[in-house]
Every structure is written in structure tokens, then in C-alpha cells.
Amino acid sequence: MAERDSKNNAGRQDKIWRKLGLKDFEYAMIVDQLGREPNPVELNMYSVMWSEHCSYKHSRSSLKLFPTESPRVVQGPGENAGVVDIGDGYAAVFKIESHNHPSAVEPYQGAATGVGGILRDIYTMGAQPIAFLNSLRFGPPDNDRGRYLLRGVVAGIGGYGNCVGIPTVGGEVYFEPCYRGNPLVNAMCVGVMPLERLVLGQACGEGNLVVLAGARTGRDGIHGVTFASEELSEQSEKDRPAVQVGDPFLGKLLIDATLEAVEKKLVQGVQDLGGAGLTCALTETASRAGTGLEIDLDKVPLREEGLEPFEILTSESQERMLFIVEPEHLSGLEDIFRHWQLPLTVLGRVTKGRLVRIFYRGEIVAEVPAESVAGGAPAYEPEGREPDYYRELSSFDPLSLPPLKDPGRVLLNLLSSPDIASKEWVWQQYDYMVRTCTLQGPGGDAAVIRLRESGKALAVAVDGSGRLTYLDPYLGGMLAVAEATRNVSCCGAEPIGITDCLNFGNPEKPAAFWQFRRAVEGMAEACRVLEVPVVGGNVSFYNEVEDEAIYPTPVVGAVGLLEDAGRHCGPGFKEEGDAICLLGPEEVSLGGSQLLKVVHGRVAGRPAGIDLGMEKKVQALLCRLVARGLVSSVHDLSEGGLAVSLAESCMAGGRGAVIELPLSTDPDLALFGEGPSRAILSLPEKNRDQVIEMAEEAGVELRVIGRVGGDALDICCGGGRFLKLRLDEMKKAFEEVFSWMMS
Amino acid sequence: MKFGVIVFPGSNCDLDAYHLVRDVLKRDVEYIGYDRRKLGNFDVVILPGGFTYGDYLRSGALAARTPVIEALAGFANSGGLVLGICNGFQVLTEAGLLPGALCRNDSLQFRCRQGYVRVETNTLAFTGKAKNGDVLKMPVAHGDGSYYAPPELLRDLDDNGQVVFRYVDRDGRISEAANPNGSTANIAGIANRRGNVVGLMPHPERAGERALGSVDGLVLFRSLIGHLQDREVAGNG
Amino acid sequence: MAKVEVTLKKEVHDPQGTAVENSLRALGFDGVQRVRVGKYLELVLEAETFEEAAAKIEEMSRRLLSNPVIEDYDYSLQEVE
Amino acid sequence: MAKVEVTLKKEVHDPQGTAVENSLRALGFDGVQRVRVGKYLELVLEAETFEEAAAKIEEMSRRLLSNPVIEDYDYSLQEVE
Ligand SMILES: Nc1ncnc2c1ncn2[C@@H]1O[C@H](COP(=O)(O)OP(=O)(O)O)[C@@H](O)[C@H]1O
Ligand SMILES: [Mg+2]
């Protein structure tokens, strides 16, 4: 049947694969794998599944570099989300995903459906979602469009997350001109479940039923994945079908109904419908299980009449789930969904053989091998070439700039620059407390979420590095992993796994691919040394507008485990008189620093390198210090260097500090230089000797540089004073600028 | 003594209220499904926060028209104690069980933050263990929390002691900065005339454990428990 | 088909309207004097007569579509096949 | 005065409309076939002519009041003093 169709249409579909984003060579591969020409429905199925977004054709070979195993890993990349054992019979489940292009054309709905999508990936595995995080990049908020995007994206993330009742506990927001036309919206979700509840996205068991639940299918988002696999252009604004409207209410009901079905063991396999819709869900579940499917498209509940089979198969309508169910469990499943007034429809069944056969009005409209559609796309080894800017920018020496005249002014400047300023304007729009498990919400190095079942807690953080990866992709990749894991360590949690979202330009351009490849190599190296596995992630290529690419931006979501929820640590100075210590190596640089960007308007120079062995020692030491309750506060040193971190610890604790730096210090470098593997601690005097001893044993530098007290940050050096700022002036600079900018 | 927590489609703080009553206060608590037409035997019924029916159309509007609300109205009319938190408050106003309405925050944004409310009347079952003027630290998290009442109603509420909580600063002073949503006269919570139905926008159930930053919300629940115990004693004697 | 407009009563503060008004000014539209934001609903319903339809819409508007404490409503009807 | 109606495009899913529709049915209103929920705006603005007013409203609707990616708009004008 399918064959006859394809012959009939052979003439008409003349190179139509090109319009669907397939290359001639790829089309030839399809014909080869299928043993005949595909008919138009089949070609549509192939084209969405072989898009970059679904097939990872330009990234697959690089992603193999990531270490994906550890004694804790239960499920690495390849399923909807990674699963890591956290003891007591429980597992943490997490993943991050991009929704960049939809957010560029409809910021509210683009971001909202991004959150809805990543949420489904978590409960699809059987896990109760417990936290959202997000990583955002925009153009400078100095114009209406920039503010419009920021406002819409933040409202959309809150709109969805708040409504489904999962707290949004952390994230990051950065601004660079390169993100002006192509903002980045990466959403992460973390869940927890009893290990025995794990279900996979597999269509196993011949004779089992294939069931579709949730929203009706409409014309929205048809070919959304193709849209995500192209550069943005004028045309994108008109690409209406690629944008969907989220329905968080339905989303919330689907979570509850799905988890109840999983708990009652009524389902054999669960798969969410996301990119490439039904086509992806059907072919992936069948291909993972090595089975076939027979599906009756007439059964799919439609929102409007007249959808063509290919439209039903590729629609990305939100809030839909696919279940594989043993026939005797169908009525149990129906009871649950009826209670929540959610539609549930049997579409077909699992068969022997590996063909996905689609019926429509009594005829076979598509008959394709699941593995070929889901996994047969070519893996490219694109050419990479070092871009011209690279050497030129690295050769810039920031120390050639004149010394700063007034470091106090500069610190205020930095505190009120959009990258560093308090993001409370953003997170106060997120319900970060719902579920009453948030022990530390947004604003710290990582968020801490308690686990009611075990008395343990998870620390979660998300960090990306655009500017530094631009200046040195290999280093930037390492730094992203190091910073995210260090952030959870600062709360006292041991990093147990990461998920990553790789936001890059067009991989078919050698410079962009070189950035990608080097960044992945750096991340992989950092994961190896730090012994944290990558258990899942997402790649977003083609982040370009009119040939201008974004900074290569790897974003890392880290999850850490705290054995005792009662013992976690925050960044704020707590006790008058506590000693303040600087932990970690001395090496810093102004290359790629915020100082250079904010004060001198330059993005250049060599960032400080990282000694991953030292990073590991620092992180392990931080965990030990917090676990033993020896420190009052811990805060990671990152953007803006020592001065900014000290100011943040002062503001977070509502206390001043008096700092005395060693004599030989170059003030600009000491105050504002940036480097990895460092943290500011404060601790009671009585613990001082023990902490120094532990640092020595660990082989980590630790210097006492001052004490907590007063109502100002006072930084001196050998009798001279670098700067002195009152808490209230710092707070004003830090806290008010964002709301002012956005109003 | 038994607490009930109504679960509407889209409720999401049901878990938090349930957890607080069961695990922190160690009292009996049961969920009540939205499709129930009879409530059963409860002493206090809590309408939890969340986004019932997505808060589509208006916050709380669709939930206020479900069967369980008719049963709840019966329960309230016969003197049963009803506490609406956040979305629960919105449902109660939409259902006409509390006067006034909750409008969009004047910032037009969802607001989640720690804050303070002042106890304005301690003669209710809900506040018996507090003193008038007590300042309680409790978070808010809502997008439609701006309480509106026409002037005559406002006067009535004041005259009858129906204003239960107002937003204040840490020192108990009413100020614009302390008002998270533009609410009329900084009103954060009100009671019905009879005093057995109370709704408030802040989340007492999120202020019940030290690890979460405040235990001030407990006074509401302790007051209710105290009230019920007194009633039992009186009933037995 | 019924088109229902639900608007905030005049006495009720309309922050959305104010925000739209300010944004329009910021975009350089002058001469904007007042903006109010409400809801618009389209309902397709079956009815034998116009009167029946109107009665239904009245009741729906009163009982669900508007909140009489803060909102007014208005509607128009037109026939569709 | 201009009355502007902003609605989701027909092909776009309208969760609010669906929820209201279900709720109306549950309340016993039968014969309701489809509900869509949109925005309604009233703008008072100064203009010399109807054409000028119409042009202004067109532009406002396109640039601010709606997002053409997912929404359509419609408007009517009437004179007020
Ligand atoms: N950058 C990455 N690092 C690790 N794993 C990745 C990365 N990108 C994608 N993956 C993995 O590849 C698989 C397919 O991803 P994707 O198609 O995004 O899944 P889904 O359709 O469930 O969103 C997932 O298991 C994902 O975790
Ligand atoms: Mg998935």
C-alpha cells in the first residue's frame, strides 16, 4: 500500500525533501534504509526525526566524549531524563532543555512550553518533579525589545511553573549583545522517585495497548523541530505554526494522573510527546524496545477538523502523553484519567517485528522501520576550524590598561551591572516555596531542597559560561562544569551528576563547530577529573540571526546530595566577629572578566586557567567543612572576583566586614580578578585552627583575610584603604537597578 | 477533631496544608475530592492554595462552581470552620462565602516573598491564641491578591471586626512597601460576618517549620485546635 | 454566536489599562487618553430563538463569565449556521 | 473611542476557552458548542479623522496589543466628545 502511494507521488514530490530540511544525501539514505521511496507521510516523519533537534546528527559523535557512568547512575543519556541513585531506595531524576527559538518569537508561550516540556521529561520516568531551574541569556536590557523578551520569558516560566505547583528555585540571567536577536531559554527540572517505580519510554510487550492521553491534537507546532534546527530569520516571525500555547492546568492534571498510574503499576512504558510529536513518541518507544506498532490515526482526538495524517503525526500540541498498557490494566488507567476529566484513547497496539504501521481511514498511510526513523539519521563529523578572532583576543593583556582610580566606585558599578545585580525582580515572580521543601531558595550559590522521605536534601544549581567559552572554548567548557558543581558543594552537597544544554551556532560552519567540539572536550575532561557523570542533556544549534552567532554557551545543571538536610550552608555572613577566609588558589585574571566588560567595555584576554585536581580538592573540602558544621557561611567566587563576592556575603547576611589583604597585592587584580576553585568562608574563631588544619591536609590554600563586623565593607592593605562602602549603598546599587531598569 | 483539605483540579498547596496538619501538628487530616457532593465529618475544612482550573477566566471562579462548594456552603452555614488560603480565599470570594473580590496585583506580576501581617482581630476561632497587633511572618505567593471591596462594604468589614489580617512591615506598621499587591487598606485576610469562614492571601502553612524560615503561621492552626478543644470540653461538661 | 465583553467597573482600579496606556505613550503614540482592559469571549451556542439565546447568555454572564462585585458585562448576538 | 478585541488565532489552542466551556456544561448550560477567551480593550484617543484613528489603532494593535504570531485582532471605532 505504502509502496504504491510512493510511486504515484514520485513525480509530484520532486525534491520536496529539501523543503522539509533534508539533504539529497539524507534522502538517498532514507530510500536505502526503507528499500523504496517514502510516501509523503513517511517523508514527513523522517524529516522531523532526522532534523538536528531530534537526531543530534552534528553532535552525536562529540557527545560520546562525556563520561556517563558512576556507581550511582541508574540511567544515563538515551532516555527522557537521567536517573541517579541517592540512597534509601530513592533516585534523583533530572534534565535540562532549550526553548530558544520559540521564545524569540513568543516569549511568554515559548518559555512556558519550554517549562512544560522539560517537566514532562521528568514525570515520564515516574518521578515526582520537585524543582525547576532556568538559565537565560538576553541582549542588554537597554531597549524595549530586550525588556519585552525578558519580561515575557520570566512571566512565562513563572506562569507555567507556579500553576503546576513545582517551585522554581534557581537559575541565572546574563546579558550580552550577541543574544539580542536570539535569546537563550534553558529550563531544567529535577524530580525524585522510589527507584522501583522507574518506567522507561519503551513500547514493550507484544499485544500491549498504545494509549494517548491529555490534550487534543491541533495544528500547532507542526515542524517545530525543523524550526529549532534552522537559523532565525525574518521568516521566523511569520512561522506561526511553530509556536504553541501551553496549558499548565492540563499539565498539572497530567502529572498527577500519570504518577498515580505509575504508582499503581498500570503502565509498562511512558513517553511524553514533545518535539516531533506522535512520530517521535511512536518510533522512539518502538525502537528502544525493538518492537513494532500498529496505530489507528482516526482515533487521535483532534481539536479541529481536517487535519491531514502528516499533520496529526508531526503536530507538537502540548500536554500529551503516550502510555504502553497491558490490556487488563486499561480500565484501571481509565478510572484515574476519568477522575481528572482527562481524555484517554487507545490508538493501537504493540506488535512483533520492528515496523511502525499507521492506519488512516482503513488504509496504511505509513509503514516505517522504527529504528530507521528514530535512529537511522547520519552522524556527521563536521569540519572544525579555529576562528580568526581567537588568537587576537587571547593576546590582549588587560594589565596594559591604566589602574583603577576609585575601586569603591567600580565595585558599585559592578554591583549595579545587569549581570551581577540582584535578580530578585526575576525570582519574585516564581513561586519558589510551594511544596514547602525549599530550605534555600534563589539568591544563594545553589538551591537546597529537602527530601521528606529520607531527611536528606538535594542542592541544585545551573551555570553557563558564554563569554569565557567564546574566549577559550576548551577552558569555558571546563569552567561551566567546575562552577556548577562548586556551587552545589558550597551548600555542602556532594555533586552526583550533571545535565547539560549546549547552545551553539550553526554546526555546519567550521568556526562554530570548532567552538562546540572544544567546549565538549573541556566539559568531558572536567567531568572525568571531578568524577561527575553526565546523565542527560540537550543540544541547541543554529542560534544565529543574520549570520551573527551567539557566544558559544554551554550550560550545566548540577545536582548534589546532602546527607543531612539540617546541615547546609548559605552565602551570608552570620555572626559578628567570625573570621573570613579565602579558600583556594591565588591565580586570577582580568581576561574575560566583568571588570573588563563593565568598566572598559571589552571582551578579551585570557581567563585564568583551571587546575581540575585542585578544583576537586576544594569541592571535597567544602563538603566536609559544611558537613561538620565548622563554617557559618560559604560563598563561591565568580563574576566580579573577591570584591563582589565579599559584598554579596555582606548583603546576604546584613553584616559588614573588615578585610586586610597582603602587602604585595595589585589592587585591581586582587579585588576584581576572576579565577576558579575559590570560595569565601566565614567561621567562628574557635573553629579556625581546625579549619586551617583540614585545608592543609587537603592541600588547599586557605588565608584568613578579615572578620565579620560593622555596617560597611572595608578593604585595606598595609595601612592603606582600597575601598570602604556602607551596606546600604551597596544594597541600593545591587537591589534597585533591576526593577528600575524594567519599569 | 478532624481537618479536611479540599483538592480541586489544579490545587497545588493541598500537600503543604495536609503535611502541616498531619506531620507538624499531628492531627487527623483527610483530602476531600472536588467531585464530592457531601463533605463528611470535619471540624475544619481548608481550601488550599494553587491554581484551580488554571485560574482561567478569573482566579477561583471555576472552582467556586463545583459541586463540593455547595456542600461547603452548607457546612459553613451550619457554623463549620472554613479556612481559605491564597487560591482558597479567591474561591471563597467567588463562591460568595466571603465578601469582596481579589483582583490582579497592581504590579501585574506574580509576587512571591516573605512578608508580615498584623493580627487585627483575635476574637475568632482562627486567631484566639494571638494578640491584636501581633506581627506574623508569613510568605505570599500570588498574582491576583489585591483585595477589593466597595466603600460601604469596607466600612462594614471594619465595623464588624471582619478584617483579620493586614500587610505590615516588620515593626507592625502599615505601609505601601509592605503591601505586596495593592490591596485596599492593606487587607490580607477577612472573615465572614459570623466569623467561621476566613480567607487570607498569605500562606500560614508555609510558615510552620523553623527550617522554612518562620513558625508564625502555626498560631492560626493552634488557635483552631484550641477552639475545638474548648468546644469539646464545653460539650462534654 | 455571542460576543461577550467583560469590563472592570469604573470604580475598580485597572492596572493593566494603565500599563498599556503607558506602554503606548512610550512607543510614541500620542493622543491616548484612557485605556481599559477587559475580557472578550466568543460563545457558539444552540438556541431556537434570539430571545432564548439572549436569556442563556445573560444567565451565563451573571453566573460565571463575570464577577458582579467588580465587573460589568455586555454582549451581542449574531446568527451562524 | 476604539474597542479592540484580541483573540487567539483559530488554530491555536485556547486552554481558557476549553475550561470555560467545560464549566458551563457542568453548570448545566447545554447547547454550548465552543468558547474562546480573548482580551477586550477600550481606548479613548484623540484624532482628527476616523481614518487617522483607524490607522493608529491598527498600528497599536499590531505592535503592542497583540502578538501576530498567535493572535488576531479586530476593532471598531465610535466618536465620543
Ligand atoms: N548535551 C547532551 N549531553 C548529554 N546527553 C544529551 C545531550 N543532548 C542530548 N542528550 C541526550 O540525548 C537524548 C535525546 O534527547 P532529546 O531528544 O532532547 O530527548 P527528549 O525528546 O526526551 O527531550 C536524551 O536522553 C538526552 O539526555
Ligand atoms: Mg522526552
Side-chain angles (χ1 to χ4, degrees):
Chain A
M1 198 43 173
E3 212 164 324
R4 183 153 47 78
D5 266 7
S6 74
K7 269 180 207 136
N8 287 348
N9 292 328
R12 267 196 287 137
Q13 72 184 54
D14 181 39
K15 310 241 156 126
I16 94 164
W17 57 86
R18 288 192 189 167
K19 286 207 198 85
L20 294 173
L22 291 167
K23 304 210 157 61
D24 292 353
F25 155 75
E26 292 169 340
Y27 183 74
M29 279 181 78
I30 292 169
V31 173
D32 186 47
Q33 291 181 22
L34 202 54
R36 58 175 167 83
E37 303 238 358
N39 70 29
V41 175
E42 293 165 339
L43 187 59
N44 267 285
M45 296 174 75
Y46 270 104
S47 82
V48 288
M49 289 305 289
W50 286 27
S51 70
E52 182 62 46
H53 185 86
C54 289
S55 73
Y56 291 87
K57 52 194 172 190
H58 289 96
S59 61
R60 230 186 297 158
S61 63
S62 301
L63 297 181
K64 290 207 182 95
L65 298 173
F66 287 150
T68 58
E69 279 169 23
S70 84
R72 287 186 184 277
V73 174
V74 177
Q75 175 67 57
E79 275 283 340
N80 289 297
V83 181
V84 179
D85 192 334
I86 52 173
D88 314 304
Y90 283 87
V93 180
F94 48 94
K95 176 141 185 258
I96 190 168
E97 200 160 63
S98 65
H99 233 214
N100 303 339
H101 285 189
S103 304
V105 294
E106 216 310 307
Y108 184 98
Q109 296 297 346
T113 51
V115 171
I118 194 63
L119 175 69
R120 281 194 296 282
D121 274 337
I122 301 308
Y123 68 81
T124 293
M125 307 294 292
Q128 168 66 54
I130 60 166
F132 284 124
L133 297 97
N134 57 84
S135 168
L136 312 177
R137 300 283 186 292
F138 298 95
D142 58 5
N143 62 79
D144 284 340
R145 172 135 185 103
R147 285 190 291 261
Y148 161 77
L149 288 174
L150 174 59
R151 216 175 266 130
V153 164
V154 169
I157 290 173
Y160 205 101
N162 300 345
C163 189
V164 294
I166 311 300
T168 301
V169 298
E172 51 166 15
V173 193
Y174 286 99
F175 302 91
E176 306 280 358
C178 65
Y179 301 112
R180 194 166 269 152
N182 192 129
L184 300 186
V185 176
N186 295 178
M188 173 173 169
C189 186
V190 185
V192 172
M193 68 178 170
L195 258 174
E196 46 95 22
R197 245 177 239 176
L198 177 64
V199 275
L200 300 178
Q202 306 199 347
C204 43
E206 193 191 334
N208 283 345
L209 304 175
V210 179
V211 173
L212 180 66
R216 290 168 172 273
T217 299
R219 273 206 178 88
D220 34 10
I222 288 170
H223 282 288
V225 290
T226 320
F227 174 56
S229 309
E230 289 166 359
E231 294 172 23
L232 281 170
S233 64
E234 275 288 299
Q235 188 56 36
S236 325
E237 292 279 342
K238 303 186 189 85
D239 261 338
R240 188 268 312 156
V243 176
Q244 307 113 39
V245 169
D247 186 347
F249 168 56
L250 202 61
K252 158 77 176 153
L253 300 184
L254 266 185
I255 303 176
D256 293 350
T258 302
L259 291 180
E260 192 180 334
V262 169
E263 191 188 331
K264 293 186 170 154
K265 304 220 174 298
L266 299 175
V267 288
Q268 294 293 301
V270 183
Q271 173 67 43
D272 64 307
L273 275 78
L278 206 47
T279 296
C280 179
L282 295 172
T283 57
E284 278 195 353
T285 49
S287 137
R288 287 191 192 120
T291 54
L293 299 173
E294 274 186 10
I295 299 298
D296 186 355
L297 272 196
D298 302 280
K299 299 269 171 60
V300 176
L302 300 180
R303 218 173 50 225
E304 55 187 309
E305 279 162 29
L307 262 74
E308 304 266 335
F310 90 87
E311 292 178 306
I312 302 173
L313 282 164
T314 59
S315 155
E316 294 184 8
S317 288
Q318 298 289 296
E319 280 80 49
R320 298 179 300 162
M321 298 289 286
L322 193 76
F323 299 109
I324 308 299
V325 188
E326 289 174 359
E328 65 265 34
H329 287 140
L330 180 64
S331 72
L333 191 67
E334 282 170 341
D335 287 344
I336 296 173
F337 278 70
R338 194 174 316 113
H339 175 74
W340 293 119
Q341 301 175 339
L342 287 167
L344 187 89
T345 321
V346 178
L347 295 187
R349 56 189 187 86
V350 181
T351 59
K352 257 214 293 278
R354 303 180 166 207
L355 288 181
V356 172
R357 198 173 285 135
I358 311 278
F359 291 84
Y360 183 68
R361 303 203 168 145
E363 293 191 12
I364 296 178
V365 290
E367 187 172 40
V368 288
E371 264 135 67
S372 161
V373 180
Y380 293 122
E381 296 280 352
E383 180 200 352
R385 197 175 344 101
E386 188 182 291
D388 302 333
Y389 76 82
Y390 175 62
R391 262 151 225 275
E392 191 193 317
L393 292 182
S394 341
S395 67
F396 172 74
D397 179 9
L399 295 178
S400 63
L401 294 165
L404 300 170
K405 289 207 191 67
D406 182 352
R409 225 5 50 241
V410 170
L411 177 53
L412 287 179
N413 253 341
L414 284 172
L415 291 175
S416 63
S417 66
D419 282 355
I420 294 177
S422 166
K423 304 297 184 296
E424 189 173 357
W425 180 90
V426 173
W427 80 63
Q428 69 181 2
Q429 298 183 56
Y430 303 148
D431 189 344
Y432 52 88
M433 300 183 275
V434 59
R435 296 183 63 75
T436 50
C437 286
T438 308
L439 301 181
Q440 179 171 303
D445 289 322
V448 180
I449 314 296
R450 70 174 168 184
L451 305 172
R452 284 223 172 92
E453 303 79 10
S454 62
K456 294 181 181 176
L458 294 180
V460 289
V462 50
D463 282 285
S465 62
R467 219 168 44 250
L468 300 183
T469 306
Y470 175 67
L471 293 174
D472 185 340
Y474 183 72
L475 178 61
M478 293 196 287
L479 291 175
V481 174
E483 176 155 0
T485 49
R486 190 185 326 124
N487 277 330
V488 302
S489 305
C490 282
C491 298
E494 177 205 348
I496 55 170
I498 66 167
T499 174
D500 65 295
C501 194
L502 305 172
N503 305 276
F504 286 79
N506 180 347
E508 297 161 59
K509 295 181 182 168
F513 189 76
W514 177 82
Q515 292 172 329
F516 173 76
R517 179 74 188 196
R518 293 295 289 158
V520 170
E521 286 168 359
M523 293 170 74
E525 177 62 15
C527 289
R528 226 174 348 262
V529 178
L530 298 176
E531 296 177 73
V532 278
V534 177
V535 297
N538 174 246
V539 180
S540 170
F541 280 134
Y542 301 97
N543 290 290
E544 304 198 4
V545 186
E546 280 153 21
D547 248 9
E548 209 210 322
I550 58 161
Y551 286 154
T553 314
V555 172
V556 173
V559 174
L561 181 64
L562 270 154
E563 289 297 329
D564 178 357
R567 280 256 163 98
H568 62 92
C569 200
F573 291 143
K574 266 201 188 128
E575 296 291 341
E576 203 80 4
D578 271 4
I580 298 173
C581 308
L582 176 56
L583 180 78
E586 235 166 306
E587 197 206 336
V588 291
S589 163
L590 290 174
S593 66
Q594 281 287 348
L595 179 82
L596 216 54
K597 175 181 160 182
V598 172
V599 177
H600 301 285
R602 301 190 68 144
V603 173
R606 296 195 63 79
I610 182 169
D611 171 350
L612 290 169
M614 176 55 66
E615 178 73 42
K616 179 141 179 68
K617 289 182 199 166
V618 167
Q619 292 188 13
L621 177 61
L622 286 171
C623 290
R624 277 201 300 279
L625 291 173
V626 176
R628 295 203 196 158
L630 293 169
V631 287
S632 316
S633 74
V634 179
H635 186 30
D636 160 53
L637 261 76
S638 66
E639 257 121 333
L642 179 66
V644 166
S645 281
L646 284 168
E648 286 170 346
S649 286
C650 286
M651 291 184 286
R655 291 185 162 74
V658 181
I659 305 294
E660 177 71 42
L661 295 177
L663 260 180
S664 57
T665 313
D666 166 343
D668 298 2
L669 203 56
L671 293 175
F672 303 112
E674 297 173 14
S677 323
R678 309 196 316 150
I680 293 277
L681 318 177
S682 69
L683 43 97
E685 200 59 36
K686 66 175 177 14
N687 296 342
R688 179 172 163 152
D689 291 344
Q690 194 185 349
V691 170
I692 291 178
E693 203 174 299
M694 283 171 69
E696 253 166 38
E697 259 169 42
V700 177
E701 279 180 66
L702 180 121
R703 282 159 290 161
V704 179
I705 57 167
R707 60 179 179 73
V708 177
D711 58 2
L713 172 60
D714 187 355
I715 307 183
C716 303
C717 177
R721 171 171 280 150
F722 286 161
L723 62 85
K724 181 170 182 179
L725 293 174
R726 284 193 328 274
L727 268 180
D728 57 351
E729 35 176 351
M730 292 195 294
K731 274 187 114 123
K732 198 169 157 58
F734 185 65
E735 286 172 2
E736 285 178 12
V737 64
F738 228 86
S739 354
W740 174 77
M741 205 166 62
M742 295 307 297
S743 65
Chain B
M1 177 183 315
K2 195 150 121 200
F3 285 74
V5 177
I6 301 188
V7 185
F8 295 102
S11 293
N12 63 34
C13 305
D14 44 344
L15 184 89
D16 302 342
Y18 184 89
H19 164 73
L20 184 84
V21 176
R22 194 192 62 181
D23 301 336
V24 179
L25 299 165
K26 314 265 185 237
R27 299 286 157 172
D28 252 8
V29 56
E30 226 173 72
Y31 287 124
I32 304 172
Y34 73 102
D35 46 1
R36 289 252 289 263
R37 280 167 198 278
K38 288 228 175 66
L39 276 192
N41 232 354
F42 292 98
D43 296 291
V44 182
V45 173
I46 300 175
L47 282 76
F51 284 76
T52 47
Y53 293 89
D55 276 353
Y56 297 152
L57 192 64
R58 291 181 312 278
S59 293
L62 303 184
R65 282 137 184 104
T66 50
V68 77
I69 288 295
E70 275 165 46
L72 184 76
F75 176 76
N77 287 337
S78 59
L81 296 167
V82 178
L83 175 64
I85 301 170
C86 195
N87 192 240
F89 184 13
Q90 294 162 341
V91 174
L92 289 173
T93 56
E94 277 285 344
L97 291 172
L98 285 174
L102 290 150
C103 303
R104 192 87 183 265
N105 290 357
D106 60 353
S107 62
L108 298 176
Q109 289 174 353
F110 189 92
R111 268 286 173 285
C112 178
R113 69 177 199 202
Q114 273 295 352
Y116 298 89
V117 295
R118 191 174 70 195
V119 177
E120 302 289 276
T121 169
N122 70 345
T123 55
L124 303 172
F126 301 80
T127 49
K129 289 204 183 304
K131 289 194 290 296
N132 281 344
D134 274 359
V135 174
L136 310 178
K137 182 177 175 190
M138 270 187 227
V140 294
H142 59 249
D144 298 316
S146 179
Y147 184 73
Y148 171 81
E152 330 76 77
L153 173 60
L154 215 51
R155 234 175 343 218
D156 277 2
L157 292 177
D158 269 327
D159 293 350
N160 303 328
Q162 284 175 257
V163 176
V164 189
F165 301 108
R166 283 188 214 272
Y167 299 109
V168 290
D169 64 18
R170 176 199 299 263
D171 304 315
R173 279 184 305 248
I174 288 186
S175 74
E176 212 175 300
N179 186 339
N181 51 35
S183 200
T184 310
N186 277 41
I187 290 175
I190 57 163
N192 63 348
R193 190 95 188 228
R194 183 167 175 181
N196 64 322
V197 178
V198 162
L200 77 169
M201 288 313 294
H203 285 275
E205 86 286 15
R206 296 184 185 186
E209 291 172 86
R210 235 164 254 303
L212 300 176
S214 170
V215 291
D216 292 355
L218 290 178
V219 73
L220 259 109
F221 299 93
R222 295 233 160 96
S223 297
L224 285 167
I225 291 168
H227 171 87
L228 292 169
Q229 279 167 343
D230 292 349
R231 208 168 67 181
E232 268 166 36
V233 171
N236 291 341
Chain C
M1 185 171 73
K3 298 180 170 194
V4 182
E5 289 154 7
V6 180
T7 48
L8 283 171
K9 285 185 198 283
K10 277 217 197 48
E11 322 78 86
V12 179
H13 174 52
D14 174 16
Q16 259 189 299
T18 315
V20 171
E21 203 176 309
N22 292 336
S23 300
L24 285 173
R25 294 230 178 82
L27 280 175
F29 291 102
D30 41 87
V32 181
Q33 295 187 331
R34 194 176 57 85
V35 180
R36 307 272 300 167
V37 178
K39 267 182 240 139
Y40 169 75
L41 295 101
E42 273 176 14
L43 299 96
V44 179
L45 75 165
E46 273 164 26
E48 295 297 308
T49 60
F50 252 70
E51 288 65 42
E52 186 198 330
K56 273 190 179 174
I57 291 292
E58 269 293 342
E59 197 190 341
M60 289 178 191
S61 300
R62 221 168 354 93
R63 283 184 54 199
L64 180 70
L65 307 182
S66 76
N67 177 345
V69 180
I70 46 170
E71 292 170 329
D72 292 324
Y73 62 86
D74 195 2
Y75 64 89
S76 63
L77 287 169
Q78 74 196 54
E79 203 164 350
V80 288
E81 79 302 349
Chain D
M1 185 171 72
K3 299 179 169 194
V4 183
E5 292 153 5
V6 181
T7 48
L8 285 169
K9 283 183 198 276
K10 258 212 253 8
E11 318 79 68
V12 175
H13 176 44
D14 173 13
Q16 291 211 72
T18 312
V20 172
E21 197 177 311
N22 292 337
S23 194
L24 284 171
R25 290 222 184 89
L27 281 175
F29 290 104
D30 41 271
V32 180
Q33 297 191 328
R34 194 173 56 87
V35 181
R36 310 266 306 162
V37 178
K39 262 185 297 219
Y40 169 75
L41 296 102
E42 275 177 11
L43 298 95
V44 179
L45 76 164
E46 272 162 30
E48 296 295 309
T49 60
F50 252 70
E51 287 66 43
E52 187 198 326
K56 272 190 179 173
I57 291 292
E58 270 290 341
E59 199 190 338
M60 289 176 188
S61 301
R62 222 169 353 96
R63 285 181 55 197
L64 182 75
L65 308 182
S66 78
N67 180 354
V69 178
I70 49 170
E71 294 168 326
D72 289 327
Y73 59 86
D74 197 3
Y75 63 90
S76 64
L77 287 170
Q78 73 196 56
E79 204 162 349
V80 288
E81 78 303 352

